[in-house]
Amino acid sequence: MTPPLVLDIRDLAVEFRQGRKTPPLRAVDGVSLSIREGETVGLVGESGSGKSTIGRAVLGLNPIHSGRVHFEGTDITHAARATRRGLADRLQVVFQDPYSSLNPARTIGRTLAEPLVAQRRSDRAAIAERVATMLERVGMPADTADRYPGQFSGGQRQRIAIARALMISPRLVICDEPVSALDLSIQAQVMNLLGDLQREFALSYLFIAHDLPVVRHLSHRIIVLYRGRVMESGTADEVYSDPVHPYTQTLLAAVPVPDPRAQRARRQRRVAAEPARPPSAAGCVFAHRCAHAVDICHIVRPEPLPLPGPSGTHTAACHRSAELHPHPVAVNPSAKQHPVPTGHHVREGSSCEDSE
Ligand code: ADP
Ligand code: MG
């Protein structure tokens, strides 16, 4: 049985005003994505591609220009503040910088208790017990509750931020680059913790990161974003091991791999760096950097095209995808199509990259 949809985003567009004479900046342009119960969807793309804007739009922090956002079957596209407050029980966020969610002047115990105190459903003893349980669950020592955020390392603060997000048993956690600021070995520990918590609480994650190897380990499906548009999407294996869109290949080319032959092949796919001139909105937004671009790419916007493959969900928004990808590589059909707990851990003390 397919697990129920937790989040469903259809054709989302978010615009920011840039002054009276300049047209608005379309930071998110026609993005659709959905997340099922217990599933992690990885959202990747270089800095400025619109990842955080999507997360913030779901959280009601960015105005939505057009499109629809459904959460657990309810349309929350333009939800009023009262509805939003009600959602806080089920929709939480972990940011890259835990300082933004942890008040430096408050004890960790007080910060973690906040959502429960706001609900007025539990007494003080029950709240203190819940705080202690969650801190222990994320691997923090018992005296953490009486201390302040400044007394902890970046990795520990991120554990605390995760504990805070889970205080009231949410269904979906938006993780916006939660490990990007951490050392590689600490990244692996925090990723493993997120994976364990997902299995334990049947959580869904929208996992945002700027590099593919980080999202690959936790994600069932991956969506590749560039300049506010979806370039490619599919299962984590399809997108990582069999990338079709030239932009996805560029993202992967930036990642070091242990095998020198594979590394050389990837390097050859590297393309020109981002030029200052913005691309034409009419065609493919990647065309000006793409080694495979032909006339049509500069004129007609490519829609996501289904690619042959076992999952039936691999798509690339590329006019040339059929030519560039004539023989699909066999991908293990049982691999991560559905939110099956994988139980595998990133090796700690190593990076998240290619450690399988
Ligand atoms: P990412 O998270 O992928 O790095 P963002 O979603 O933060 O990218 O930003 C996407 C684009 O939208 C960028 O060009 C950024 O400058 C712009 N942007 C984001 N937030 C705002 C805002 N509040 N006002 C104006 N422009 C914004
Ligand atoms: Mg961001």
Side-chain angles (χ1 to χ4, degrees):
M1 204 184 73
T2 320
L5 275 179
V6 175
L7 183 71
D8 192 32
I9 300 177
R10 287 293 122 205
D11 236 354
L12 179 72
V14 178
E15 293 190 342
F16 294 112
R17 261 187 237 126
Q18 306 190 93
R20 247 182 284 161
K21 297 217 172 105
T22 340
L25 171 79
R26 188 163 268 232
V28 178
D29 190 5
V31 169
S32 297
L33 71 87
S34 57
I35 307 180
R36 294 191 176 273
E37 190 180 285
E39 187 180 37
T40 298
V41 171
L43 188 55
V44 282
E46 64 202 68
S47 174
S49 55
K51 306 179 299 294
S52 296
T53 303
I54 293 174
R56 291 172 56 83
V58 172
L59 293 163
L61 302 171
N62 277 336
I64 291 172
H65 174 77
S66 58
R68 282 267 161 275
V69 179
H70 281 82
F71 178 71
E72 294 188 316
T74 306
D75 189 335
I76 59 159
T77 316
H78 302 290
R81 206 176 282 181
T83 316
R84 285 269 161 207
R85 266 199 298 271
L87 284 177
D89 289 8
R90 282 145 40 227
L91 176 59
Q92 284 286 319
V93 59
V94 175
F95 290 109
Q96 173 174 346
D97 173 17
Y99 255 135
S100 59
S101 50
L102 302 177
N103 184 335
R106 277 193 195 154
T107 63
I108 303 297
R110 238 186 103 193
T111 293
L112 261 59
E114 258 165 33
L116 293 181
V117 172
Q119 279 189 339
R120 296 194 193 109
R121 269 193 250 159
S122 327
D123 61 26
R124 279 178 94 176
I127 290 175
E129 194 176 319
R130 176 82 183 149
V131 168
T133 308
M134 279 321 296
L135 285 172
E136 194 194 339
R137 183 61 199 82
V138 299
M140 293 301 293
D143 66 348
T144 301
D146 303 323
R147 294 162 67 189
Y148 291 86
Q151 295 172 272
F152 297 98
S153 68
Q156 287 173 318
R157 280 204 293 267
Q158 205 52 294
R159 285 173 188 273
I160 294 166
I162 292 167
R164 184 186 125 100
L166 299 189
M167 281 300 288
I168 38 181
S169 316
R171 303 314 309 141
L172 173 69
V173 184
I174 295 178
C175 303
D176 192 349
E177 311 233 15
V179 300
S180 301
L182 306 175
D183 291 344
L184 284 181
S185 61
I186 309 292
Q187 282 193 6
Q189 292 171 9
V190 173
M191 296 291 285
N192 288 338
L193 173 65
L194 286 167
D196 290 344
L197 293 168
Q198 172 166 60
R199 285 182 283 277
E200 195 171 325
F201 300 112
L203 295 170
S204 303
Y205 292 140
L206 176 60
F207 193 93
I208 297 173
H210 58 263
D211 61 351
L212 257 168
V214 168
V215 295
R216 183 205 184 188
H217 280 281
L218 209 60
S219 301
H220 302 96
R221 287 186 298 121
I222 292 178
I223 291 171
V224 180
L225 202 68
Y226 179 68
R227 287 185 178 258
R229 294 191 194 168
V230 175
M231 299 285 108
E232 181 160 359
S233 69
T235 65
D237 283 328
E238 284 167 339
V239 173
Y240 192 86
S241 312
D242 190 21
V244 171
H245 200 290
Y247 177 64
T248 314
Q249 296 179 354
T250 310
L251 266 187
L252 277 166
V255 173
V257 285
D259 172 5
R261 255 194 343 190
Q263 176 73 4
R264 265 197 302 280
R266 277 187 182 179
R267 281 230 179 87
Q268 280 165 4
R269 296 193 198 129
R270 280 191 195 188
V271 297
E274 183 77 356
R277 185 176 58 88
S280 138
C284 170
V285 280
F286 187 61
H288 63 298
R289 282 172 75 187
C290 183
H292 306 284
V294 291
D295 287 351
I296 189 176
C297 306
H298 297 281
I299 303 163
V300 178
R301 175 176 175 159
E303 294 306 322
L305 288 175
L307 299 160
S311 80
T313 60
H314 195 181
T315 69
C318 173
H319 289 300
R320 305 199 61 198
S321 58
E323 286 165 78
L324 299 174
H325 189 255
H327 306 294
V329 176
V331 176
N332 177 3
S334 66
K336 296 185 190 170
Q337 283 179 46
H338 295 294
V340 183
T342 55
H344 83 238
H345 269 196
V346 181
R347 258 202 325 270
E348 291 180 9
S350 74
S351 84
C352 294
E353 292 168 7
D354 292 306
S355 63
E356 275 172 305

